[in-house]
Amino acid sequence: MLEASALFSYYGKSPIIQDVDFRVEAGSFTSILGRNGVGKTTLLRTIMGLTDAITGALRFEGADLARMPTHRRGRLGIGYIPQGREIIPRFTVRENIVMGTYARADGKRSIPEFIFELFPILRDFLGRRGGDLSGGQQQQLAIARALAMGPRVLLLDEPTEGIQPNIVRQIEDVILKLNREMGITVILVEQNVGFARRASDQFILLDKGRIALTGTGEKLTNEVADEYLTF
Amino acid sequence: MPAGPAARDSRPPGPYVGWISMDAFFNQAFAGLSMASILLMVALGLAIIYGAMGVINLAHGEFVMLGAYSAWLLQTYFGFSILVSLPVVFLMVALIGLAVERGVVRWLYHRPLDTILATWGIGIVLQQLVRMGVGTDSRYVARPTILDGNVVLGGVVMSNYRIFVVVFSIAVLAATWYLLTRTEYGTRLRAVIQNKEISECYGIRSERVYAMTFAYGAGLAGIAGALVTPLVSVTPTMGTYLVVDAFLVVILGGVGSLMGTAVAAGLVGEATALFSFLLNDTLGRVAVLCAIILLIRFMPQGLFPDRVRR
């Protein structure tokens, strides 16, 4: 579904992602792991076309992403849930979710009902401003916005970072449910090895902008975690 | 009341407060209101373009001037009344704005200081083109005959045309509010203003939004220019005077607030009219500028700052 080969991605003249190859199958769950600053976020931003330049190949369902403007990548069904959530603070919750539908290919602007079944709190807060929600609620809103587009694949960047522990579990369960029950492909940047191991079909371990190790969830042993993820 | 028949005869009749004739006062206040309405339409375009893209459009006055010349052209060669011309003028100037944005401004969004120079240059070019094409003579546009006549309230004489300008500008304000807050285009624009990157991730073409916004702001300036033609003479430099006041309005109102722009336009228009009446035109300008400097000293964000936490 999503394929990269010999992928380099730049900020200015600095290559942040270097010679990366990977393949993500439709319906699978991929975790991207690594210490801070190894390029995990940059890899997701590269898929969305938010870095300055890329070389190499990047394809999504046969379409060439490498030379495609960001707004068209969204319309292919790539739902991006960035680090720090980046919901629109002065938009109401409703406006934030409706914004997700602007990436729909079918032009529909209604909010799919299942979103409120996943996140009942958002229905109660429809008229509130996004900036007035708590961190956990904003994260739910960011996921809801991506779901409103009817995504084929979700790119999640540390969705549980800085969120109170009782909501972390709830968000993890929703992500699993979207992948297992609704068949949405998930690419997750995560620091939490436990969840990555439990959820992933495949993991990609980055170190200094390159892939250090890839494999299935079981291969993500404690020894591997110690070597590449502890400080 | 002063003594002596001579002094009494030289002054207008009607009630007085001190040495101020109330009729003259209210007439002046009404004239101020109609100028404030023109100012509002000019300032709205400026404020939207600045609020959306951070571009200080120094060619805005020339968009006003082009609107005025478009109205003159349509009246002189096609016999259109201003009322018929308004939508045509809006489209004409919006298209010119679109060309300016696509041709020059869009290359400079990441260099805001350079947009000031570039738009200033565009303004000079537009002025000079009009000078070469139409000449430097003042042109006049007749007001629509349907709006001839006055409404008289006591000693206050209000021309129907000025009343129309006031009502029309309020309608433009309402339409702009509706466009920005209740339509999909407006939602897209507000999304891009707050977070361009994430907006693009959700399928919004920010550059198209920018182009439309610039064209809309230019079109508003064009309408203002067309509407002002029966009140002032049409010259290549007419926009300069209006746009200076419009900049004051934007600064005073606070960026990003339609309400602030409307209130500030009213204040600047009225203050200019009343200070000119109480002092004289020159001292009146000085007084208005001093008042604005004082206000900005104590309210640097303008009258209606944006107080939402990010």
Side-chain angles (χ1 to χ4, degrees):
Chain A
M1 179 186 222
L2 183 67
E3 249 179 300
S5 62
L7 183 67
F8 286 73
S9 184
Y10 298 82
Y11 282 123
K13 284 182 178 159
S14 315
I16 309 296
I17 296 294
Q18 300 176 33
D19 200 19
V20 162
D21 294 74
F22 64 83
R23 194 183 158 85
V24 172
E25 301 299 337
S28 69
F29 195 119
T30 303
S31 293
I32 300 171
L33 300 132
R35 292 191 183 90
N36 285 335
V38 297
K40 303 186 296 293
T41 294
T42 305
L43 186 53
L44 291 194
R45 288 174 60 84
T46 302
I47 296 171
M48 290 315 295
L50 298 174
T51 57
D52 291 344
I54 78 169
T55 61
L58 183 64
R59 304 184 73 77
F60 178 74
E61 296 191 319
D64 181 11
L65 283 190
R67 266 150 285 283
M68 193 180 278
T70 298
H71 67 91
R72 281 185 54 207
R73 300 186 199 208
R75 286 185 198 163
L76 289 179
I78 308 179
Y80 179 44
I81 296 146
Q83 197 170 28
R85 306 173 277 271
E86 303 205 24
I87 52 131
I88 307 288
R90 274 176 279 179
F91 272 15
T92 61
V93 167
R94 181 193 300 279
E95 284 174 319
N96 266 291
I97 303 176
V98 166
M99 181 183 164
T101 67
Y102 295 166
R104 288 185 78 99
D106 60 11
K108 271 193 202 147
R109 294 291 179 257
S110 54
I111 302 174
E113 190 55 32
F114 79 90
I115 289 176
F116 296 122
E117 283 157 22
L118 287 174
F119 305 114
I121 191 89
L122 294 182
R123 194 203 300 274
D124 302 334
F125 287 176
L126 272 177
R128 286 205 199 176
R129 295 226 224 193
D132 294 339
L133 302 187
S134 73
Q137 291 160 353
Q138 288 190 354
Q139 187 63 60
Q140 298 184 0
L141 178 55
I143 296 173
R145 175 174 63 186
L147 291 176
M149 77 194 285
R152 312 285 313 275
V153 53
L154 287 179
L155 314 180
L156 292 128
D157 198 343
E158 300 202 23
T160 56
E161 182 202 30
I163 286 171
Q164 62 230 60
N166 58 326
I167 305 208
V168 167
R169 187 58 198 244
Q170 191 190 338
I171 286 175
E172 288 176 352
D173 288 346
V174 165
I175 295 170
L176 272 177
K177 188 173 177 187
L178 292 172
N179 176 250
R180 304 288 198 267
E181 290 174 25
M182 300 188 61
I184 300 173
T185 313
V186 169
I187 301 177
L188 171 78
V189 164
E190 189 53 88
Q191 299 273 18
N192 174 351
V193 179
F195 179 57
R197 192 184 282 146
R198 185 154 55 90
S200 307
D201 303 311
Q202 146 179 255
F203 71 90
I204 296 171
L205 236 172
L206 288 179
D207 196 22
K208 294 180 192 131
R210 295 173 183 273
I211 292 184
L213 197 66
T214 62
T216 54
E218 301 90 69
K219 271 179 73 184
L220 191 59
T221 58
N222 288 336
E223 290 75 45
V224 168
D226 278 348
E227 186 178 349
Y228 291 102
L229 298 175
T230 50
F231 290 91
Chain B
M1 293 291 280
R8 186 171 293 161
D9 288 346
S10 69
R11 296 165 53 143
Y16 276 74
V17 174
W19 49 272
I20 301 166
S21 152
M22 280 295 103
D23 287 350
F25 178 86
F26 283 116
N27 276 319
Q28 191 70 10
F30 178 69
L33 190 63
S34 59
M35 276 322 283
S37 308
I38 300 285
L39 213 48
L40 172 61
M41 284 180 280
V42 182
L44 266 184
L46 264 186
I48 290 171
I49 290 172
Y50 181 75
M53 295 161 276
V55 169
I56 295 174
N57 177 25
L58 287 183
H60 207 68
E62 277 59 47
F63 290 152
V64 176
M65 179 268 293
L66 287 174
Y69 274 97
S70 304
W72 169 79
L73 194 94
L74 290 169
Q75 180 157 94
T76 310
Y77 294 100
F78 300 96
F80 287 5
S81 133
I82 294 177
L83 297 182
V84 183
S85 302
L86 277 177
V88 186
V89 171
F90 177 81
L91 283 179
M92 284 167 75
V93 181
L95 278 177
I96 295 167
L98 189 66
V100 167
E101 199 273 347
R102 290 285 84 186
V104 180
V105 177
R106 74 155 154 159
W107 306 104
L108 302 172
Y109 282 136
H110 54 289
R111 286 151 59 186
L113 268 180
D114 293 345
T115 57
I116 299 180
L117 277 179
T119 53
W120 190 39
I122 290 165
I124 294 172
V125 170
L126 291 176
Q127 246 184 52
Q128 210 55 36
L129 282 177
V130 169
R131 251 188 217 115
M132 284 159 55
V134 191
T136 51
D137 301 344
S138 294
R139 308 287 175 175
Y140 299 92
V141 178
R143 72 171 172 216
T145 45
I146 202 172
L147 292 171
D148 278 344
N150 302 306
V151 172
V152 183
L153 270 180
V156 185
V157 182
M158 300 182 286
S159 84
N160 287 344
Y161 184 74
R162 283 181 187 264
I163 293 173
F164 167 76
V165 169
V166 173
V167 173
F168 190 85
S169 76
I170 292 168
V172 165
L173 178 68
T176 303
W177 175 84
Y178 185 85
L179 184 70
L180 291 183
T181 62
R182 293 288 180 274
T183 65
E184 184 167 323
Y185 158 76
T187 311
R188 284 170 189 257
L189 172 62
R190 287 180 296 133
V192 171
I193 290 173
Q194 293 179 73
N195 192 331
K196 177 166 172 253
E197 259 186 8
I198 207 73
S199 300
E200 292 193 339
C201 289
Y202 285 97
I204 299 174
R205 293 179 65 173
S206 59
E207 64 169 66
R208 178 182 285 184
V209 172
Y210 284 165
M212 299 278 291
T213 306
F214 201 90
Y216 180 70
L220 287 187
I223 286 191
L227 279 175
V228 84
T229 47
L231 306 176
V232 302
S233 55
V234 180
T235 66
T237 54
M238 65 181 285
T240 314
Y241 303 104
L242 268 170
V243 87
V244 169
D245 281 5
F247 270 116
L248 293 179
V249 166
V250 173
I251 293 166
L252 189 61
V255 172
S257 162
L258 286 186
M259 195 59 204
T261 306
V263 171
L267 280 178
V268 172
E270 283 299 339
T272 306
L274 294 181
F275 280 133
S276 310
F277 168 66
L278 295 175
L279 306 163
N280 61 46
D281 278 351
T282 314
L283 279 179
R285 290 293 296 169
V286 174
V288 169
L289 283 172
C290 288
I292 289 175
I293 290 169
L294 260 176
L295 251 165
I296 292 300
R297 166 67 185 77
F298 293 104
M299 303 177 76
Q301 304 282 312
L303 294 173
F304 292 80
D306 200 356
R307 280 203 197 84
V308 177
R309 69 171 156 155
R310 282 180 172 265

